[in-house]
Amino acid sequence: KCVFSKINNFWNAYCVHKTNIIGLFIISYSGVNRMIIQNFEELAITEKKKDCLEILESGLQAANPENIISKYVTPNEIKINGKIFNIEKYSNIYTVAFGKAGDSMTRALNSIISIKSGIIVIPKGSKAKIKSKKFQIFNSGHPKPDKTSVKAAKEVMKFVDNKKRGELIIFLVSGGGSALLAMPDEITLSDKVHVTDLLLKSGATIQEFNCVRKHLSKIKGGKLVENMKCQGIGLVMSDVEGDDLSSIASGTTYMDDTTYADAMNIIEKYRLKLKIPIEVLQILGNGLHNQKTETPKIAKIENYVIANNNNCLESMEQTAKSKGYKVIKMQIFGDIKEVVKRILENISEEQKTCLILGGEPTVKVLGKGQGGRNQELVLRILKNTQKLKKITIASMGTDGIDGNSNFAGAITENIKVDLNTMKEFLKNSDSSRFFQKQKGTIKTDFTHMNLMDIGIILK
């Protein structure tokens, strides 16, 4: 007979003959129980920090595609928003996955249905979670596109165009896809990279950013599927406010509700006109004067958001309540300074409260330091709560990479720190080095998912 026991998230299977153990098998389980926060034990040095990290961890687990895809897909059908798609009627089923969760979404889907072949495009440095000769894998540049982004885009376009009637492509779309697939339209890749760099540092929202990118691309804004002969469906994990399908991964499998005029207005809004290559301005100008065809305004295939930031927040709320905290939830979008003001207004006077944050504030890069919006958010809140009673502050990106740092975010208590020191780190956009010194950086590496940012203030 076989006796099972679970120790530290590993199943031990003891094979017993009469009363003697004759074999021991240790079975690793790679599902929801494996910790995503790698330095959890190092950071959980107080009871409040431990609570905080456990609540964050539950939010990350909720973003795992393996916990999401199976809600909608069975071996016979995709059931979503009251609609049922019979997948048995197709001669072959293929996948095209692009974005930070491309490999984990493919792995989750491949464990349920029979996929003939597919393409996966994920960020450079991210080791694919699926190993199968059925899938061609590209590791492209992010947040700036590179030569692999162009190569991947060409292969994806060719793959899609070659599929016939009676076949089905399931597109698995997640945030980050805009940089991972790049097919510049009458401009060079270096021009595209330059524009990307300017927009990244400008403080533009993701919607504004992607509006410009769509009008400089041959693949974005629905152009990938525009001439497709086979059937298709898009399953999308949202990393944008309001789950705007035309903005997630620049609406590559959807359509575009913005125009060349909108793109030009964004360039002018952030005073980038004199910094942008003349060739880029010519493309936008030609579109503005109807000398170039607009992006598709009608979706060729149906796209469905299967997960968003709320998945994380709801799981975090349940965990916080189970620990006895009174929960307040708020979404954080817009300029980071304004976001901090709103957060401070929502910190409760009551004890045993948990303010849960979700979204993605925008940051204007001022210096040449290391950091990202999550670590900067924690540092700005720390700076503004020096006179408050003890609180614990944390924020992190569900993708595991915060800005140009190697960390997902930061955690701290509102300890006393010299005000001028904090101002200096903020002035140089160097929040990551600040928290490295404080031993407060959260480490996850690539998480293979992306549902925006999550944060907590515990009192």
Side-chain angles (χ1 to χ4, degrees):
K1 65 180 180 179
C2 214
V3 179
F4 291 91
S5 68
K6 193 177 182 186
I7 302 169
N8 294 332
N9 293 328
F10 288 90
W11 283 99
N12 293 338
Y14 298 91
C15 293
V16 181
H17 176 64
K18 293 185 179 175
T19 57
N20 298 318
I21 294 173
I22 57 169
L24 168 63
F25 303 89
I26 300 175
I27 305 162
S28 169
Y29 176 59
S30 62
V32 294
N33 291 320
R34 181 176 286 174
M35 272 283 182
I36 297 169
I37 298 173
Q38 294 173 355
N39 58 342
F40 184 98
E41 298 298 332
E42 295 166 42
L43 295 173
I45 53 175
T46 67
E47 200 60 40
K48 287 288 172 272
K49 281 187 176 179
K50 185 171 181 284
D51 282 354
C52 199
L53 291 162
E54 284 176 351
I55 296 166
L56 286 173
E57 180 72 26
S58 70
L60 291 173
Q61 296 290 356
N64 187 340
E66 291 190 14
N67 299 328
I68 293 163
I69 297 279
S70 57
K71 293 177 186 176
Y72 303 100
V73 182
T74 71
N76 311 316
E77 62 190 23
I78 297 171
K79 192 175 181 180
I80 189 163
N81 288 8
K83 289 190 176 182
I84 296 174
F85 296 84
N86 177 14
I87 56 178
E88 288 182 309
K89 66 181 182 181
Y90 296 103
S91 56
N92 292 303
I93 299 173
Y94 303 92
T95 55
V96 171
F98 50 94
K100 294 177 184 177
D103 55 338
S104 52
M105 289 180 83
T106 303
R107 186 172 78 166
L109 188 71
N110 189 53
S111 68
I112 300 169
I113 64 176
S114 179
I115 298 166
K116 187 173 183 182
S117 66
I119 295 181
I120 299 168
V121 190
I122 51 176
K124 191 169 283 182
S126 174
K127 194 175 178 183
K129 278 199 159 193
I130 186 166
K131 289 181 174 67
S132 171
K133 290 179 180 177
K134 289 195 292 187
F135 302 103
Q136 188 179 8
I137 299 168
F138 292 92
N139 288 90
S140 302
H142 186 278
K144 299 172 195 174
D146 61 6
K147 288 178 181 176
T148 308
S149 306
V150 176
K151 187 179 177 184
K154 287 177 179 174
E155 286 300 316
V156 165
M157 190 72 93
K158 189 165 72 176
F159 185 85
V160 170
D161 289 347
N162 285 341
K163 299 302 165 272
K164 309 178 192 77
R165 293 184 190 282
E167 296 182 316
L168 174 70
I169 300 177
I170 301 174
F171 293 94
L172 302 170
V173 184
S174 55
S178 297
L180 300 175
L181 291 180
M183 199 177 277
D185 187 5
E186 297 179 44
I187 58 171
T188 64
L189 176 62
S190 60
D191 284 344
K192 188 82 179 281
V193 170
H194 184 58
V195 173
T196 301
D197 193 41
L198 288 171
L199 286 164
L200 277 170
K201 292 175 179 176
S202 70
T205 67
I206 189 68
Q207 288 88 344
E208 290 172 326
F209 197 158
N210 287 349
C211 169
V212 176
R213 289 201 275 204
K214 281 181 278 192
H215 288 91
L216 298 174
S217 173
K218 291 180 181 176
I219 194 169
K220 296 180 172 68
K223 292 179 186 175
L224 171 62
V225 297
E226 196 173 16
N227 301 310
M228 192 169 74
K229 296 183 284 292
C230 68
Q231 294 297 110
I233 183 173
L235 303 181
V236 183
M237 293 183 72
S238 171
D239 72 328
V240 302
E241 184 179 5
D243 301 337
D244 176 11
L245 283 164
S246 69
S247 274
I248 304 162
S250 293
T252 304
T253 61
Y254 187 55
M255 58 91 173
D256 179 30
D257 53 13
T258 66
T259 63
Y260 281 101
D262 293 327
M264 190 64 92
N265 288 338
I266 290 159
I267 298 296
E268 289 172 354
K269 176 182 175 180
Y270 293 99
R271 299 175 184 174
L272 302 176
K273 210 167 181 179
L274 296 176
K275 299 176 183 178
I276 277 180
I278 189 71
E279 293 82 1
V280 172
L281 293 176
Q282 281 174 347
I283 292 293
L284 297 179
N286 289 343
L288 202 59
H289 297 101
N290 301 318
Q291 292 169 6
K292 281 187 72 65
T293 308
E294 255 296 353
T295 45
K297 302 304 175 198
I298 299 171
K300 174 80 179 274
I301 67 169
E302 294 194 58
N303 288 260
Y304 295 94
V305 172
I306 59 169
N308 61 21
N309 189 246
N310 282 328
N311 290 61
C312 305
L313 303 192
E314 285 166 11
S315 180
M316 291 163 71
E317 181 178 17
Q318 287 176 8
T319 306
K321 283 182 175 177
S322 73
K323 293 177 177 294
Y325 289 97
K326 182 183 174 185
V327 173
I328 306 162
K329 286 189 295 184
M330 66 177 288
Q331 289 197 309
I332 49 170
F333 294 102
D335 180 77
I336 196 162
K337 291 178 183 177
E338 295 303 315
V339 163
V340 170
K341 284 180 190 173
R342 295 205 315 271
I343 290 170
L344 295 173
E345 288 166 5
N346 279 278
I347 296 175
S348 176
E349 294 293 321
E350 295 180 51
Q351 293 300 309
K352 198 73 175 176
T353 58
C354 175
L355 177 59
I356 293 175
L357 313 169
E360 223 168 73
T362 53
V363 174
K364 188 169 183 178
V365 179
L366 302 171
K368 295 182 178 179
Q370 286 183 3
R373 58 183 175 261
N374 287 281
Q375 290 162 96
E376 179 160 330
L377 182 70
V378 176
L379 182 51
R380 285 186 180 278
I381 296 170
L382 174 63
K383 182 172 79 75
N384 285 282
T385 55
Q386 291 287 289
K387 293 178 182 176
L388 292 189
K389 288 181 180 177
K390 196 172 184 182
I391 59 171
T392 308
I393 313 156
S395 184
M396 65 182 296
T398 56
D399 61 356
I401 306 297
D402 189 33
N404 65 353
S405 75
N406 295 320
F407 303 98
I411 182 170
T412 187
E413 288 169 342
N414 59 330
I415 51 169
K416 294 287 178 277
V417 183
D418 178 63
L419 200 61
N420 289 325
T421 300
M422 288 187 281
K423 282 180 179 176
E424 198 58 37
F425 276 99
L426 286 168
K427 189 179 171 183
N428 199 33
S429 302
D430 207 14
S431 54
S432 188
R433 285 205 183 96
F434 176 87
F435 285 112
Q436 285 174 58
K437 289 184 177 185
Q438 298 283 340
K439 293 185 169 52
T441 48
I442 299 172
K443 177 80 173 169
T444 63
D445 207 351
F446 291 96
T447 60
H448 304 266
M449 51 203 182
N450 186 20
L451 294 180
M452 294 196 276
D453 302 337
I454 53 176
I456 294 172
I457 295 178
L458 281 188
K459 188 174 182 183

